[in-house]
């Protein structure tokens, strides 16, 4: 995390030099590592708000209402819970030019104390706020890109930042409001957010015979509905994966599927447990509340179809050839059974059966 | 209509006119929250007419003083005061809280939006004005920021975060005015959480210069707000919550008194009280 904070700090320091109308507010805990130099560069444009998150947001809004741009460095959990009303009213409702950099997203910082520090519901809560744009980078490069974009775009932003590693930096075309694509699979689309993008890329899904299309949900609001609709139209099954409870990316995609009355397979992988009374490292906790160590199995099961013919079961991965398989297995036993009958009966049975199969497929 | 001849009319006469206008229009539009608006009406009159440099020419500008009404349920008193001094048009008063109206307690105000540009901020629920005002005062040290808060509102923790912040940074261009009317929705403030007793010393402990005055006297308010001070100021304005309709408190419970609109008789009685006041 230290490396990430330094990368972020460098980007903000550049902005401090370039733009004398930008202010920086920091809650307790980030000044020394993230922005140690900003106080020296522009002491009149830097404020320490201490352990007063709600006030930090209100002050940011006040400064923005004098015509300035404000970056607020805060922890995701406190921003989206304790200071939520201030973000809703002082920032969102007033459309104040405030860029909230909400650090420590997700559950990777459980060493800090557990549930009280996990930002696992902030997508669900913050996305209800009017006028706000929500960004969610998957790499540190993308974080810098989004910080620059937010600075150059008037309005309120919530940039939620999870624990990202600098050595994960796949080639992605960073467009400002569209989901960047990591690779070109067609068997299943996996929409991942934040640090889950790296996790999915490292899963080696191709080893189970599936070529996934991995998409980075880097803009949560306004969400890239067009890409999801495109997947729906191509009947590509969709998986979402996030360190969030219900209300996050999975819910956003489910809403799009439901609004389009789409008949597409969908699997949200997220935190479904409410048993948060857990102590331990990230892998232990993630396994308990997200069943994360079984993710590859869940994806395999999602992409598998089971065909039972006369009591014999066949498991096929690759749903794209499902139709042909049904047809093939449908006709072969039929031919062998009906062979003994008269020609007329045989023809009639084949027609009816084929018609039924086509309807199913 | 209000006839304003600011050269010959006294402040007292102007305030009376605003109050009659307030009662008539609140009655017509069925607007409540009357006592809360009445208790800070002289405070707002003093701010807009005697203290803040907000004029018809600069009201849409961001380079001017600001008046933040943190106790936003008193907004109708604010719009009547602003109309009287020519800073909003009559339409703002007539459409207040009406379908499609220009403002209510909350209002979305893009800085510079002409019709309501004299109204500086929409804070919505209680406890926001001090923090937002502190941010404004920090960024614009060449102008003053006046923040009107309620004494019940000071029960909100966010107020104290902001007061500590202002006191720590010694933002001298802020004046906090507490409308100490000793009541909130359910009861007297002292019977719920006694901010009347706690707050003056607590605010003083945050390195504020705390001054008390009669919140219904324009002269005392002006003196207190303009007092030279090396510290940020907090003016505790002692007021009566709805003194012109105070008799209604014996008819209704506290909540109905806080929220309710006037009947025809109550309107008539209120106008008489204003004239005799």
């Amino acid at each position: 995390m230290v490396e990430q904070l330094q990368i972020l700090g460098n980007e903000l320091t550049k902005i401090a030099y370039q733009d004398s109308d930008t202010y920086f507010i920091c809650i307790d805990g980030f000044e020394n590592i993230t922005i140690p130099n900003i106080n020296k560069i522009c002491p009149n444009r830097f404020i320490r708000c201490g352990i007063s998150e709600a006030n930090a947001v209100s002050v940011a809004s006040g400064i923005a209402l004098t015509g300035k741009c404000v970056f607020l460095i805060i922890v995701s959990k406190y921003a989206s819970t304790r200071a939520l009303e201030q973000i809703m009213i002082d920032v969102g409702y007033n459309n104040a030019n405030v860029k909230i950099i909400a650090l420590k997203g997700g559950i990777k910082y459980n060493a800090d104390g557990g549930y009280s520090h996990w930002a696992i519901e902030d997508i669900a809560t913050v996305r209800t706020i009017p006028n706000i744009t929500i960004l969610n980078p998957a790499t540190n490069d993308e974080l810098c890109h989004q910080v620059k974009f937010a600075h150059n775009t008037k309005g309120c932003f919530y940039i939620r930042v999870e624990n990202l590693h600098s050595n994960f930096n796949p080639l992605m075309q960073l467009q400002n409001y569209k989901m960047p694509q990591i690779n070109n699979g067609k068997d299943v689309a996996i929409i991942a957010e934040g640090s889950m993008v790296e996790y999915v890329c490292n899963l080696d899904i191709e080893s189970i015979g599936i070529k996934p299309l991995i998409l980075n949900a880097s803009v949560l609001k306004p969400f890239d509905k067009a890409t999801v609709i495109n997947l729906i139209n191509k009947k590509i099954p969709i998986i979402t994966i996030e360190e969030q409870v219900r209300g996050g990316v999975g819910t956003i995609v489910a809403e799009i599927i439901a609004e389009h009355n789409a008949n597409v397979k969908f699997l949200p992988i997220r935190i479904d447990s409410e048993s948060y009374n857990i102590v331990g490292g990230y892998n232990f906790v993630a396994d308990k509340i997200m069943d994360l160590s079984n993710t590859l199995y869940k994806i395999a099961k999602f992409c598998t179809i089971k065909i039972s013919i006369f009591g014999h079961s066949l498991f096929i991965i690759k749903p794209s050839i499902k139709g042909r398989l049904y047809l093939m297995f449908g006709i072969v036993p039929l031919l062998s059974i009906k062979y003994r009958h008269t020609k007329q009966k045989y023809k009639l049975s084949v027609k009816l059966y084929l018609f039924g199969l086509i309807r199913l497929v | 209509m209000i006839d304003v001849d600011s050269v010959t009319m006294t402040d007292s006469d102007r305030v009376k006119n605003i109050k009659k206008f307030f009662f008539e229009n609140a009655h017509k539009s069925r607007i409540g929250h009357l006592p809360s608006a009445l208790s800070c009406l002289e405070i707002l009159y003093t701010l807009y007419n005697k203290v803040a440099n907000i004029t018809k020419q600069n009201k849409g500008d961001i380079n001017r003083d600001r008046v933040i009404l943190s106790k936003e349920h008193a907004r109708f008193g604010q719009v009547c005061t602003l109309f009287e001094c020519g800073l909003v048009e009559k339409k703002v008063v007539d459409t207040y809280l009406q379908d499609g109206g220009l403002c209510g307690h909350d209002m979305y105000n893009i800085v510079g939006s002409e019709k309501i540009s004299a109204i500086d901020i929409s804070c919505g629920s209680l406890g926001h004005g001090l923090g937002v005002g502190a941010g404004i005062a920090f960024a614009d040290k060449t102008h003053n920021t006046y923040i009107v808060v309620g004494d019940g509102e000071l029960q909100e923790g966010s107020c104290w975060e902001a007061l500590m912040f202002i006191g720590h940074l010694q933002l001298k261009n802020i004046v906090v005015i507490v409308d100490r009317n000793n009541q909130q929705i359910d009861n007297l403030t002292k019977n719920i959480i006694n901010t009347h007793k706690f707050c003056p010393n607590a605010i003083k402990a945050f390195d504020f210069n705390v001054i008390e005055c009669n919140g219904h006297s324009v002269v005392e308010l002006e003196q207190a707000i303009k007092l030279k001070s090396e510290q940020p100021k907090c003016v505790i304005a002692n007021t009566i919550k709805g003194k012109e309709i105070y008799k209604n408190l014996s008819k209704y419970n506290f909540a109905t008194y806080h929220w309710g609109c006037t009947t025809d008789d109550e309107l008539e009685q209120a106008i008489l009280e204003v004239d005799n006041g």
Side-chain angles (χ1 to χ4, degrees), chain A residues 10-31:
Chain A
N10 289 340
E11 196 60 43
L12 293 173
T13 307
K14 276 188 233 166
I15 293 172
Y17 272 119
Q18 289 161 2
D19 184 1
S20 59
D21 274 341
T22 299
Y23 282 63
F24 301 86
I25 300 179
C26 201
I27 66 152
D28 204 40
F30 294 101
E31 182 188 343

Side-chain angles (χ1 to χ4, degrees), chain A residues 131-148:
Chain A
N131 302 310
I132 203 157
T133 300
I134 306 174
L135 305 178
N136 192 13
T139 67
N140 286 327
D141 269 6
E142 195 178 11
L143 169 61
C144 294
H145 169 82
Q146 289 184 345
V147 164
K148 263 187 268 197

Side-chain angles (χ1 to χ4, degrees), chain A residues 23 44 46-47 49 52-55 58-59 62-63 65-67 85-86 89-90 93-95, chain B residues 62 66 106-108 111 121-125 128 131-132 134-136 138-139 158 161-162 165:
Chain A
Y23 282 63
N44 295 334
F46 172 71
I47 307 174
C49 272
S52 302
E53 292 81 11
N55 185 56
S58 292
V59 167
I63 295 173
L65 291 170
T66 64
E85 194 193 33
Q86 280 72 20
I89 294 170
D90 303 343
Y93 187 63
N94 284 305
N95 201 10
Chain B
I62 53 174
R66 280 181 180 77
D106 282 13
M107 22 129 300
Y108 177 60
V111 170
I121 184 74
S122 178
C123 300
S125 46
H128 291 252
V132 175
I136 293 174
F138 180 88
S158 52
E161 290 186 23
F165 176 80

Side-chain angles (χ1 to χ4, degrees), chain B residues 245 248 251-252 261-271:
Chain B
I245 47 171
N248 293 349
K251 282 199 280 178
Y252 306 120
C261 315
T262 46
T263 60
D264 290 341
D265 288 340
E266 285 163 1
L267 171 67
E268 206 179 303
Q269 187 59 35
I271 303 287

Side-chain angles (χ1 to χ4, degrees), chain A residues 111-255:
Chain A
D112 279 357
Y115 174 58
S116 63
H117 287 63
W118 303 334
I120 57 174
E121 63 281 292
D122 55 331
I123 299 178
T125 50
V126 176
R127 75 178 181 111
T128 62
I129 296 173
N131 302 310
I132 203 157
T133 300
I134 306 174
L135 305 178
N136 192 13
T139 67
N140 286 327
D141 269 6
E142 195 178 11
L143 169 61
C144 294
H145 169 82
Q146 289 184 345
V147 164
K148 263 187 268 197
F149 174 70
H151 177 240
N152 294 330
T153 311
K154 203 155 184 203
C156 45
F157 281 76
Y158 182 89
I159 304 175
R160 65 184 304 280
V161 185
E162 297 189 1
N163 186 15
L164 310 172
H165 300 120
S166 293
N167 57 1
F168 174 71
N169 200 11
L171 272 174
M172 289 188 283
Q173 194 176 1
L174 297 178
Q175 298 167 67
N176 295 326
Y177 290 109
K178 291 201 70 72
M179 272 194 269
Q181 206 169 295
I182 309 285
N183 62 0
N184 289 315
K186 280 183 194 171
D187 295 335
V188 65
I190 303 180
I191 301 174
E193 62 81 23
S195 58
M196 289 284 103
V197 175
E198 182 184 355
Y199 172 78
V200 168
C201 289
N202 291 341
L203 260 184
D204 197 14
I205 297 168
E206 291 194 22
S207 66
I208 55 170
I210 297 170
K211 287 203 168 66
L213 164 65
I214 302 174
L215 295 158
N216 168 16
S218 61
V219 181
L220 298 170
K221 185 178 181 184
F223 197 78
D224 180 10
K225 283 188 182 178
T227 299
V228 177
I229 292 167
N230 194 30
L231 295 172
I232 290 170
N233 290 339
K234 291 181 181 168
K235 295 217 184 309
I236 298 176
I238 302 173
I239 296 175
T240 57
I241 180 163
E242 58 190 324
E243 283 182 357
Q244 290 280 299
V245 297
R246 286 169 190 269
V249 179
T251 301
I252 296 172
V253 172
E255 283 167 5

